[in-house]
Amino acid sequence: MSSAEASRQRLAATHIGVAVAAFALAAALGLIQALSIADVAFPGRSESLYYIAVTAHGVLMALVFTTFFIMGFGYALAQVELGRIVGRGAAWVAFWLGVVGSAAAAETILRGQSTVLYTFYPPLRAHPLFYIGATLLVVASWIWGGVMVASYRSWRREHPGVAVPLPIHGMLAAVIIWYIATAGLAAEVVGMLIPWSLGWVKTVDPLVARTLFWWFGHPLVYFWLLPAYVLWYTVLPRVAGGRLFSDPLARMAFILFVLLSTPVGFHHQFADPGISSGWKLAHTFTTYAVVYPSLVTAFTVVASLEVAGRMKGARGLFDWTLRLPWGDPFFACVALSMIAFLFGGFGGLINAAYAMNGMVHNTAWIMGHFHVTLGTTVALTFMGGTYWLLPRLIARELRFPRLALLQPYLWFAGMVLFSTSYHLAGLRGLPRRVYSGALSGSEGASWHGLTVVAAAGAVVLFLSALSFVTVAAGTWLGGRRIVAPAFEFAVPLRPVTGPGVWDRLGMWAVAAVVLVALAYGYPLLHLLSHPRFGSPGFQPF
């Protein structure tokens, strides 16, 4: 890699470095929570420490780690596939805004001033700097999205009759989802929570705030998933030695996520008053509809892997799975994350069903589900993506390759123990986010043993996280200098010859905005027209 090439990828590499640092701190905080719930003593164990760890772990893992990785991955793809990053100066400004905002929010959490349990739910009130810091991170991501769009538009002017590269298509779909989703978050945080936390208003309406949060909260999942799917569609088949089964199916799936990922929030509010059952049912339908592009993704990627196995000589029904490169760290990470995706999707269908949701709502089941989806499907894919990206971004050989290979299997084994235990404990009634699984009297007996198994899983997860951070840091600081490997993406079985209907991203973005307006317009106006009873802020921990 020449110095000019290294300079062009420094922006992406720096974002990945911040993501790894946030992941490291979040992993340690996650271990504290699991040991606390299992009533395993450790120095400094306290109720307040547990809830501080819950908030910090959620914010650092779900917002900081994911956002910085996605931004870095997007910049890397723009440089390689589009040959440019339009607005590099603005991108660096966005980077520092995101760093400062994340540090400010984390500092108030770790000082015990912002224990709001990640979900931005009034009447729990955080320090103003927490909300302002989170806002800066979102603004940074908006600038990133603008840079991605500007880079694409510049490329498009020079390539009017060419289909947008599939990796860029997926990342632009993620940008559209992010802009639409964060509109709800901005309305809540800037319009309600910051003035409330500063004391400019005495009360805030928790129900309106919750509704605006879930406008953002569920499509956030697809902001995480679409970059992961880009790796599944475009890198995984290439690493496996095969071809992409269908390029048009991938583009269709990305657009369906744009259309269907946002108008689904009411399935998180089945227990909330003020929202009619009809609107909750409508959002349930759209929640089940968004399952379809996930199934398309699963089919297309698995078919691509079968193509790879067949190209390597497999002839039997399933022996192609044995021809896949399970000894490659990137492949192992992504393949195991796909297995987790199967179980996470099944759990999501239960959460979206009114009757079954009532059984698991606010129980440890949700903790188990969230760690299968974000904690494995997304996080493990991003860890594998880091292994794949770093040699290409910084021209250094991956350090400790055996540890890198062991790490995803450790993560998967730890998550089986952790997530399965919490799913079962939730079905037995263990509440979500409790400091102690034992509780009082005999109630905790049926699930306390499961929390101990979950704690054992958390220890394995922490060892895996430590392995990942060791490999990433070792590569960055001491990896042998090499000629950077090329960014090579999967070639589809049938190449796309030109832009089609799925490439009309502007049209689909407008359609998505219309669907969101239909899904949220009347319910929000209805809530705002009710007699409203605001709440003062509470800081119990």
Side-chain angles (χ1 to χ4, degrees):
M1 177 185 286
S2 68
S3 58
E5 291 170 333
S7 177
R8 284 194 289 269
Q9 289 293 11
R10 188 173 295 124
L11 179 65
T14 307
H15 281 77
I16 300 298
V18 173
V20 172
F23 175 91
L25 180 55
L29 293 164
L31 179 62
I32 289 173
Q33 297 170 64
L35 295 177
S36 178
I37 296 172
D39 298 291
V40 177
F42 55 88
R45 180 173 183 263
S46 70
E47 190 175 8
S48 294
L49 176 61
Y50 168 77
Y51 287 105
I52 287 171
V54 169
T55 305
H57 175 76
V59 170
L60 288 169
M61 191 67 83
L63 297 180
V64 181
F65 164 60
T66 56
T67 302
F68 272 93
F69 178 88
I70 291 167
M71 291 193 294
F73 184 40
Y75 287 137
L77 293 178
Q79 185 63 58
V80 171
E81 289 290 86
L82 303 179
R84 71 205 73 197
I85 295 176
V86 176
R88 192 177 295 270
W92 278 110
V93 170
F95 169 78
W96 287 110
L97 279 177
V99 168
V100 171
S102 300
E107 191 267 345
T108 66
I109 296 170
L110 297 176
R111 287 177 57 186
Q113 297 176 315
S114 300
T115 309
V116 291
L117 311 183
Y118 159 67
T119 40
F120 297 78
Y121 266 17
L124 293 178
R125 182 173 63 192
H127 191 280
L129 274 179
F130 171 79
Y131 298 122
I132 293 170
T135 299
L136 290 177
L137 177 60
V138 172
V139 170
S141 68
W142 286 349
I143 297 173
W144 164 78
V147 170
M148 291 294 295
V149 171
S151 302
Y152 163 70
R153 289 176 63 85
S154 171
W155 175 89
R156 173 54 77 198
R157 285 192 290 271
E158 298 175 12
H159 303 80
V162 179
V164 58
L166 183 60
I168 299 299
H169 187 280
M171 294 304 294
L172 290 174
V175 169
I176 294 168
I177 290 171
W178 189 238
Y179 278 143
I180 294 172
T182 50
L185 183 67
E188 181 196 11
V189 174
V190 177
M192 300 177 70
L193 301 187
I194 290 179
W196 182 55
S197 66
L198 289 169
W200 296 349
V201 295
K202 292 183 179 180
T203 63
V204 72
D205 187 330
L207 184 55
V208 172
R210 286 167 66 96
T211 303
L212 291 172
F213 176 82
W214 285 117
W215 171 330
F216 156 81
H218 198 87
L220 171 63
V221 172
Y222 299 101
F223 175 65
W224 300 327
L225 279 174
L226 259 63
Y229 289 168
V230 168
L231 286 165
W232 294 15
Y233 278 119
T234 66
V235 179
L236 184 67
R238 180 79 185 201
V239 171
R243 305 279 291 275
L244 176 61
F245 180 76
S246 172
D247 183 290
L249 277 180
R251 294 173 193 268
M252 179 191 74
F254 288 142
I255 294 303
L256 290 179
F257 282 121
V258 168
L259 294 174
L260 299 172
S261 63
T262 305
V264 297
F266 289 161
H267 82 263
H268 290 273
Q269 296 181 264
F270 283 150
D272 286 0
I275 301 170
S276 72
S277 58
W279 282 105
K280 292 174 181 176
L281 181 62
H283 281 226
T284 298
F285 287 151
T286 52
T287 302
Y288 277 98
V290 83
V291 173
Y292 176 70
S294 294
L295 293 174
V296 169
T297 297
F299 167 79
T300 306
V301 176
V302 172
S304 300
L305 295 181
E306 182 174 357
V307 168
R310 303 288 179 203
M311 290 174 65
K312 294 179 179 180
R315 294 292 181 267
L317 188 59
F318 295 113
D319 63 330
W320 58 269
T321 61
L322 303 178
R323 306 295 180 100
L324 300 175
W326 294 97
D328 180 278
F330 169 80
F331 181 88
C333 282
V334 177
L336 292 172
S337 75
M338 290 171 58
I339 295 172
F341 173 69
L342 172 67
F343 294 97
F346 177 75
L349 294 176
I350 291 173
N351 297 341
Y354 191 94
M356 288 187 286
N357 180 282
M359 293 189 293
V360 301
H361 183 69
N362 271 341
T363 71
W365 168 284
I366 303 301
M367 296 157 58
H369 170 72
F370 201 53
H371 282 84
V372 172
T373 51
L374 170 61
T376 306
T377 301
V378 174
L380 198 52
T381 296
F382 287 3
M383 286 185 260
T386 301
Y387 293 147
W388 185 79
L389 281 167
L390 279 182
R392 290 164 174 78
L393 296 179
I394 63 176
R396 289 184 181 270
E397 188 176 52
L398 197 69
R399 287 294 305 274
F400 315 118
R402 292 184 179 179
L403 188 61
L405 178 59
L406 176 63
Q407 180 268 317
Y409 293 101
L410 277 177
W411 190 272
F412 189 80
M415 195 59 75
V416 168
L417 294 173
F418 181 89
S419 180
T420 303
S421 297
Y422 277 135
H423 274 94
L424 294 174
L427 292 176
R428 296 182 184 182
L430 174 62
R432 186 181 183 187
R433 294 168 176 157
V434 289
Y435 159 64
S436 166
L439 297 180
S440 61
S442 62
E443 293 176 340
S446 65
W447 59 62
H448 187 257
L450 290 168
T451 65
V452 174
V453 176
V459 172
V460 177
L461 287 168
F462 181 72
L463 292 175
S464 176
L466 190 61
S467 300
F468 166 68
V469 174
T470 299
V471 172
T475 301
W476 200 297
L477 300 175
R480 182 173 63 88
R481 292 194 177 276
I482 58 173
V483 176
F487 283 78
E488 296 180 326
F489 301 102
V491 177
L493 289 174
R494 182 175 296 178
V496 173
T497 57
V501 66
W502 303 119
D503 281 1
R504 300 182 63 181
L505 292 161
M507 178 187 76
W508 296 117
V510 171
V513 170
V514 171
L515 285 175
V516 174
L518 292 173
Y520 278 100
Y522 178 81
L524 277 171
L525 289 173
H526 187 62
L527 287 175
L528 293 171
S529 68
H530 282 180
R532 301 172 65 197
F533 303 94
S535 174
F538 294 91
Q539 293 178 302
F541 305 105

